[in-house]
Amino acid sequence: MSGALEPLVFCKRSRNRVRGYPAPVPLAPLADTHAHLTCFWEKDPASCLARAALVGVRQLTTLFDPVGDDMGLPDFQVRLRSWLADARRLIAEGEGAGAAVDDPSALIDRVRYLVGVHPYGAPAYTDEIEAVLYAALVDDLCAGIGEIGLDYHVDLDDRVEPAPRGLQIEVFSRQLSIAAEGDLPVELHLRNAAGDTARAAHADAFRVLADVGVPRAGCVLHCFGEDRATMERACELGCHIAYGGAATFNRNEGVREAFAATPLDRILFETDCPYMAPMPLRGSECEPAMVTFTADALARDRAARTGEDPAAIQRAAWGNAVRLFG
């Protein structure tokens, strides 16, 4: 791995032309509350962490799935600590050159992970897998449970058929109970079937949350892509709402309307990297530093609708992330 950091200008090729997009300077500390460091296709996790630190990301929450990830828990724990050490070295070797903030290495001490089985993995959930969750929670870098939930969508691109809904609900309930009983924050993945105007995945999940209980430590609807009414119901239950790069896509005006209406004490930003890079980088392999594009676009869009200060919006999201994940 090279010791030199890539420029903090993200490039995208379109129609045989390469255009550079400098990362926006954050108006407050930023948190990427949902990042898949184990899932990059081409990028190096340590370099991504270093770039995120240089652009002003100050807290990051990644995920470990004992069913979906191609490694065991001990291997993941070793790799995560290695990525953190390498990122710290990269920042030191670059002497923070080009950093948007003072002390960019502060991020490295604020990286945590959640453990949980994605609804795709529901058929493989066993007592042995559940034991892995409990084993991870002993780790001082593990902050809670996630991502867990319900996914009723047929993914034609990846040829993924959803597991039976009853089984998904059972596995979701078991993992949510671990978070509720341990007073641990939890992140939810909820996706409806295509064209489902009744939003069955969300309706079923809200019933489970009401039955099992929302953990006092917090519950996050990650990668929110629904309407204002769904957001309001989630907030009534005590959930936070995390908005990612998809909220910046041109077609998602309704999601931006929901963001503008979300109470300030409930908003979060995320990347869900390496998926769904924000505009204007859509189609690129996403990474944590790109949360700056999402936070900037959504804060300014909300400010234009509500008259709020964009910096205050970003500060609110930071405070929420700190309370949830430290």
Side-chain angles (χ1 to χ4, degrees), residues 97-113:
V101 292
D102 295 331
D103 189 20
S105 64
L107 167 65
I108 308 307
D109 295 323
R110 297 175 184 150
V111 174
R112 297 292 182 268
Y113 71 92

Side-chain angles (χ1 to χ4, degrees), residues 213-272:
V214 175
R216 293 187 305 274
C219 176
V220 179
L221 268 65
H222 119 82
C223 197
F224 188 77
E226 299 298 322
D227 61 358
R228 177 172 178 169
T230 306
M231 174 276 292
E232 290 173 343
R233 176 59 180 143
C235 289
E236 288 173 1
L237 288 167
C239 298
H240 289 74
I241 315 295
Y243 294 87
T248 71
F249 297 172
N250 294 338
R251 71 170 187 270
N252 285 340
E253 175 68 11
V255 180
R256 289 187 289 279
E257 290 176 356
F259 176 76
T262 305
L264 281 177
D265 64 353
R266 296 293 175 181
I267 62 171
L268 296 165
F269 297 121
E270 64 164 66
T271 59
D272 198 19

